[in-house]
Amino acid sequence: MARKIEKIQLGRRISLGVFFVAFTVLTILHQKVENMPSVDSLCPFGGIETLFKYIAGGELVKKIMPSNLVLLVAIIILGVALSRFFFGWICAFGALQGIFGWIGKKLFKKRRTVPKKLDQALRWIKYPLLVGIVYFTWTTGTLIIRPYDPLAAYAHLSTGIASVWAEFAVGLVILIVVLVLSTLYERAFCKYLCPLGAVISILGRIPLFRIKRESSTCISCSKCDRVCPMNIDVSTVKTITSPECIGCMECVTACPTKKSTLYTTLAGKKVKTGTIVIVGLAIYLGALGVGALTGKLDFVGPSLTDEATKGTLKIEDIRGSSTWEEIAESFNVSLIELYKAANVDETKVPPDTKLKDTGALIGRTFEADEVRIALATLLGISYSGENGTTPSSPVQTVQAVETAQRAPAVPEKIIEPTEAAKPATSAEPVAPVAPAVSEGALAVPEGFVLEGTMTIKDIATALNVPEAKVIEKLQLPADISVTTPLRDMKDQYGYTMTALKERFAQ
Ligand code: SF4
Ligand code: SF4
């Protein structure tokens, strides 16, 4: 019996070790090799962060991939069946805390616990934290928690401490605090801060899995209490219903009675502990397998060229892993103009440089969003930036657009787009080329810049002409709404803002 119990705990350490090593290796490879998953695409919590945006419009929050939704589905199925089993057997960050907990045991020889009342109060922190993160992510459409995420900081350690400090200073501090705390108090992050744990704790109210205690054979030795990493009072309850239980089975394996005083149940029926473990791993890996077979377990997402080919290319598709030449080709803009608009010295940054590597070459912090904003300016497209604020002033925007429009058709180092990329010359889906405007059409004053936020009524008022003239100039149907912003009707009428600007400039 003892041998079998040891095997289960050995299996748990192997399982956690495999997932932890796989996670670490992937995050290192992400920095070195093309098309490797990022930490953002490997965390199930990303699925929750993007859920609202996905349900509302089928779109994902920036940096989130379809894989996040598959991981989320997997962890929800697992949560309903086995509560927080994921954290006891699979979670890479749980494994990292476990390693530091083990180091702490070796160093201090004593297991510490937070005073009961304080511990109970602190455990509630993760719930408002979850609500806050989800609310702000859903309303801003960005991964608001990313700079504070200790797992993201850990996943970028291979880029060097200076780089992690520049991007994840708060996350790095939290990581260090959590790992130091883990040497004293087991699973501190899981207990108090993990927002994903909060979600699964809620699901944990309805799991099919429970650990039960047979009081007639219990000798009240309290070994189960002492080994529980989540500090659950196992020895005093008949059934462990705590949503904090991570299904690690440490209590079951520590119980010294040979009469199955602590035993595992599934849907009310007594089931071998090993069977629970197999079911848990099978549910998780099975869900990932189904995701892979159906093509949904996509950790990387389509490239810019793929998006351009599909005609769905958007400025938001630009990522830190996109290269300068890939962006110029896909969006059909001059590479030189793109460097210029982003205020980057092209002599220091080769075209095949990834945006995330640009900062190191130009000696300053450089965000991918700077290129998105520069590109939006070049294309004359409205883009409010990752944080919802466009740094360029209107004057700068007009000047940049004019510069772009004055650029020679084939400048010295222009990158000709591939045939696949040619259709997508803007952030919106492609529209047919506009026919010529009829005689007597509206003449647009120099310097007037058409914006996607404008309505036909706005333009007519600004130019002091009838709305029909504006509609004619833009070659739009006569019955089109004059009070809806142009950018909101592009899908309905199949135009792009670039095409409208061209028609306007004619
Ligand atoms: S109650 Fe048992 S299975 Fe649950 S976390 Fe504690 S030791 Fe692990
Ligand atoms: S370890 Fe077993 S015998 Fe000891 S208190 Fe817990 S359930 Fe009872």
Side-chain angles (χ1 to χ4, degrees):
M1 184 73 176
R3 194 174 143 78
K4 191 176 175 188
I5 288 169
E6 278 171 17
K7 270 188 190 169
I8 285 173
Q9 286 307 328
L10 179 67
R12 191 169 82 87
R13 280 149 185 76
I14 291 172
S15 172
L16 281 172
V18 166
F19 283 105
F20 173 68
V21 170
F23 175 84
T24 304
V25 169
L26 284 174
T27 55
I28 294 171
L29 287 177
H30 174 70
Q31 307 298 337
K32 323 267 177 208
V33 184
E34 204 68 42
N35 290 331
M36 293 305 290
S38 68
V39 58
D40 307 298
S41 68
L42 290 169
C43 180
F45 191 64
I48 292 168
E49 292 175 293
T50 201
L51 201 56
F52 180 71
K53 194 168 184 184
Y54 185 74
I55 292 170
E59 284 189 32
L60 302 173
V61 168
K62 271 191 277 293
K63 297 184 191 295
I64 293 297
M65 296 296 153
S67 60
N68 293 100
L69 291 167
V70 176
L71 292 169
L72 178 64
V73 170
I75 204 173
I76 284 177
I77 297 171
L78 192 53
V80 170
L82 301 181
S83 187
R84 290 175 73 178
F85 177 92
F86 174 86
F87 303 95
W89 289 80
I90 297 167
C91 178
F93 201 50
L96 187 59
Q97 291 173 78
I99 292 167
F100 277 77
W102 176 80
I103 293 170
K105 275 183 205 158
K106 294 281 167 206
L107 284 178
F108 307 119
K109 311 282 181 205
K110 193 173 171 245
R111 189 166 168 270
R112 288 161 205 269
T113 51
V114 176
K116 196 123 192 137
K117 279 195 174 164
L118 179 62
D119 175 69
Q120 294 302 328
L122 290 176
R123 285 183 198 241
W124 284 100
I125 293 177
K126 57 183 174 288
Y127 296 102
L129 200 61
L130 166 69
V131 173
I133 293 168
V134 169
Y135 174 77
F136 286 111
T137 307
W138 288 5
T139 51
T140 62
T142 61
L143 291 183
I144 205 112
I145 193 184
R146 199 168 184 266
Y148 320 110
D149 184 349
L151 187 62
Y154 169 77
H156 286 81
L157 285 178
S158 61
T159 62
I161 290 292
S163 164
V164 178
W165 183 254
E167 199 177 350
F168 302 98
V170 178
L172 184 61
V173 170
I174 295 176
L175 175 68
I176 294 167
V177 171
V178 163
L179 295 183
V180 170
L181 272 182
S182 296
T183 62
L184 302 168
Y185 306 98
E186 283 181 275
R187 297 273 187 155
F189 186 83
C190 301
K191 283 176 200 156
Y192 308 130
L193 295 176
C194 180
L196 185 59
V199 176
I200 308 301
S201 289
I202 295 165
L203 289 175
R205 301 282 173 188
I206 40 162
L208 303 167
F209 158 74
R210 293 286 184 222
I211 294 174
K212 299 197 176 193
R213 187 178 66 91
E214 178 54 60
S215 47
S216 64
T217 54
C218 175
I219 57 172
S220 300
C221 65
S222 296
K223 275 195 174 175
C224 48
D225 300 337
R226 289 197 294 275
V227 295
C228 178
M230 300 302 281
N231 305 116
I232 297 165
D233 291 331
V234 182
S235 65
T236 54
V237 295
K238 281 199 156 187
T239 302
I240 298 170
T241 53
S242 168
E244 300 285 317
C245 174
I246 56 172
C248 65
M249 317 296 178
E250 289 280 3
C251 54
V252 179
T253 55
C255 182
T257 67
K258 299 203 187 304
K259 298 191 175 164
S260 299
T261 303
L262 282 176
Y263 58 94
T264 42
T265 62
L266 199 56
K269 292 206 173 86
K270 194 169 177 177
V271 176
K272 282 185 178 173
T273 308
T275 306
I276 298 285
V277 173
I278 291 167
V279 168
L281 293 175
I283 287 175
Y284 190 71
L285 295 175
L288 298 196
V290 170
L293 287 174
T294 54
K296 305 284 185 209
L297 192 65
D298 179 0
F299 290 98
V300 181
S303 66
L304 294 181
T305 310
D306 291 340
E307 295 283 15
T309 306
K310 284 191 287 175
T312 55
L313 188 65
K314 298 189 297 297
I315 279 191
E316 288 84 350
D317 295 327
I318 295 173
R319 301 196 290 259
S321 57
S322 306
T323 65
W324 287 86
E325 62 189 351
E326 184 188 7
I327 296 165
E329 278 184 28
S330 302
F331 286 90
N332 196 19
V333 297
S334 154
L335 181 58
I336 293 290
E337 292 299 333
L338 185 61
Y339 280 126
K340 223 185 276 179
N343 199 21
V344 165
D345 183 348
E346 77 265 22
T347 60
K348 293 182 179 168
V349 181
D352 60 352
T353 306
K354 290 177 184 173
L355 297 186
K356 65 181 177 187
D357 298 332
T358 300
L361 299 176
I362 58 174
R364 68 173 173 88
T365 307
F366 186 82
E367 301 285 344
D369 215 36
E370 292 178 45
V371 173
R372 295 190 198 105
I373 291 163
L375 187 64
T377 306
L378 277 176
L379 294 172
I381 289 166
S382 170
Y383 173 69
S384 56
E386 256 182 342
N387 302 321
T389 51
T390 310
S392 331
S393 69
V395 175
Q396 284 171 320
T397 307
V398 172
Q399 283 170 345
V401 171
E402 285 174 353
T403 307
Q405 286 168 347
R406 280 200 303 271
V410 185
E412 211 179 311
K413 279 170 76 178
I414 193 168
I415 303 288
E416 284 295 331
T418 58
E419 282 308 306
K422 269 181 182 170
T425 57
S426 78
E428 292 90 19
V430 181
V433 176
V437 191
S438 65
E439 251 185 79
L442 168 69
V444 181
E446 208 179 322
F448 185 88
V449 178
L450 188 71
E451 297 285 357
T453 50
M454 292 175 173
T455 64
I456 290 169
K457 197 178 179 67
D458 294 338
I459 302 164
T461 307
L463 299 180
N464 197 22
V465 295
E467 288 154 5
K469 276 279 181 198
V470 177
I471 293 172
E472 184 193 19
K473 180 78 175 172
L474 293 174
Q475 299 164 41
L476 295 171
D479 60 350
I480 193 168
S481 165
V482 297
T483 53
T484 306
L486 290 170
R487 67 177 178 194
D488 295 343
M489 299 189 287
K490 59 187 169 56
D491 291 339
Q492 187 184 351
Y493 291 98
Y495 58 73
T496 66
M497 284 311 299
T498 308
L500 289 193
K501 282 168 198 288
E502 283 170 6
R503 294 172 200 176
F504 221 54
Q506 280 171 6

